[in-house]
Amino acid sequence: MNVEIAPVDEHTGPARHFRIRLSATARGALLARHLTAEQLTSWGWPYDSDGNRTASLLVAELAANAVRHGQVRGRDFALRLTLYAAEATLRIEVTDARPDRSPPLPGTLTPADPETESGRGLLLVESLATHWGATAGDPYTKTVWCEVALACRT
């Protein structure tokens, strides 16, 4: 799979969308996680479902990376959720203002040193998501995205 081209065309059926811009702060990243959990609940995947918990964790990791590595003073980050209900698949996209700081390619991540406190977020994304990658749609932003199977509703 070419990570520069997000596999959005492989989905069929109607999709539901949620998009919001948030401040590129720790508070904005936390809000992204809470809004994801709430949105998935309204779409039929309650807070205590595995799909909701997994998606919320993925959003937390991607949003934290956007705040830590993609922050530009005075610029927000964007969260976009796309639910393909027929396939029970959620696409998560986090767009930040640093296209010059791309994450490593999927499959090339190396484990973090056990002594360090960070460096494991994308490893979690790679292990929990069915696909993930990064795209630069314009000279001012980059989007790190992933897709996760939500399984059946509970």
Side-chain angles (χ1 to χ4, degrees):
M1 170 180 33
N2 183 344
V3 296
E4 290 300 317
I5 301 171
V8 294
D9 294 333
E10 67 187 34
H11 298 288
T12 59
R16 294 179 179 172
H17 302 278
F18 172 81
R19 183 175 172 95
I20 191 166
R21 296 189 69 80
L22 299 162
S23 65
T25 62
R27 187 176 196 159
L30 179 63
L31 185 55
R33 180 180 184 146
H34 289 299
L35 289 170
T36 297
E38 181 63 32
Q39 189 61 51
L40 283 172
T41 298
S42 74
W43 285 340
W45 279 269
Y47 289 107
D48 62 347
S49 68
D50 288 339
N52 191 313
R53 280 185 242 148
T54 300
S56 296
L57 176 61
L58 291 170
V59 166
E61 292 301 333
L62 294 181
N65 282 351
V67 169
R68 184 170 189 174
H69 304 291
Q71 182 182 42
V72 172
R73 187 180 174 122
R75 302 271 310 270
D76 297 334
F77 74 93
L79 169 66
R80 180 179 176 150
L81 306 175
T82 304
L83 174 66
Y84 301 96
E87 302 160 12
T89 298
L90 181 70
R91 181 179 175 86
I92 300 163
E93 299 176 11
V94 175
T95 302
D96 66 47
R98 292 299 302 259
D100 57 318
R101 291 190 179 175
S102 293
L105 297 174
T108 65
L109 298 173
T110 56
D113 185 323
E115 301 298 317
T116 62
E117 293 183 17
S118 62
R120 294 170 183 80
L122 285 178
L123 289 168
L124 277 172
V125 171
E126 189 162 75
S127 67
L128 295 174
T130 55
H131 310 292
W132 78 277
T135 59
D138 60 48
Y140 309 106
T141 63
K142 82 165 168 302
T143 300
V144 181
W145 59 270
C146 67
E147 292 186 357
V148 62
L150 296 175
C152 57
R153 296 180 195 203
T154 56

